[in-house]
Amino acid sequence: MNFEKAKPPAVSGQSVSEVATPALLIDIEVLERNASSLKTLLSRFPAVKCRPHAKAHKCPQLAVLQLDLLGEVSSGGVCAQTVTEAESMVAGGVKDVLVSNQVVPSDKILRLVELARAATVGVCVDSAKNVSNLSAAASAAGITLRVLVECNVGQNRCGVDTPSEAVRLAKDIQGLPGLHFDGIQAYHGAIQHVRHFKEREAACA
């Protein structure tokens, strides 16, 4: 029996009533307008580069489009929340991925290292043991991971709690093979909804 190639659930130009659900729909005009607004804003700050987070859509084709639309204000890569998300991004053509989270299990560290053979890969850390394990795997594979120290700025989910801890981890990273210290990450998701600077400052205190 011959089967036709499966048709996509939706194509550009269809009416909503013609869409086979479930389907991810993108309003391309809104996407382009949002990217243009961000590009205009960041053009005033040439030292700042944007790295979109792919966890919102988990679609490598959309990630590639975002980077293309952002152009010179983009870092050239995206964030992913898990190793699996990072793998899908690289498989879809993204060449630079930061896993904005800690990767601790040994099997996932090995997958992260393998991914770094095909793309530039970064990861966050908040413990010396994790730094040591990442170094061992990366150096054994002959690759380099970019590593950021995660700092707890009030969300109390992960990250080191003091500047001295951050400095100590940064020095650990710099002193071990297979790793490149790439900076810090400081994330407090809840305060993106707090609009006033003073209130945000108090939430991060």
Side-chain angles (χ1 to χ4, degrees), residues 6-18:
K7 295 179 180 179
V11 295
S12 180
Q14 279 184 322
S15 67
V16 173
S17 63
E18 296 175 289

Side-chain angles (χ1 to χ4, degrees), residues 72-186:
E72 68 276 7
V73 305
S74 159
S75 68
V78 301
C79 292
Q81 196 65 10
T82 67
V83 175
T84 299
E85 283 183 13
E87 289 169 334
S88 70
M89 291 299 118
V90 173
V94 177
K95 297 301 182 184
D96 185 330
V97 181
L98 167 64
V99 179
S100 54
N101 204 352
Q102 290 70 43
V103 176
V104 176
S106 58
D107 61 323
K108 291 184 179 181
I109 288 176
L110 291 177
R111 286 167 56 193
L112 192 73
V113 164
E114 188 62 28
L115 193 63
R117 298 184 190 277
T120 301
V121 174
V123 66
C124 295
V125 297
D126 61 6
S127 80
K129 178 64 173 176
N130 191 204
V131 170
S132 177
N133 290 341
L134 289 168
S135 171
S139 57
I143 59 91
T144 299
L145 292 172
R146 295 177 301 127
V147 183
L148 291 82
V149 174
E150 179 141 17
C151 300
N152 179 16
V153 289
Q155 186 158 275
N156 299 322
R157 185 173 65 184
C158 52
V160 297
D161 292 315
T162 66
S164 61
E165 290 178 278
V167 170
R168 187 161 56 249
L169 271 188
K171 289 181 176 179
D172 287 346
I173 295 164
Q174 290 176 323
L176 289 171
L179 306 180
H180 171 76
F181 175 62
D182 213 39
I184 65 170
Q185 172 171 288

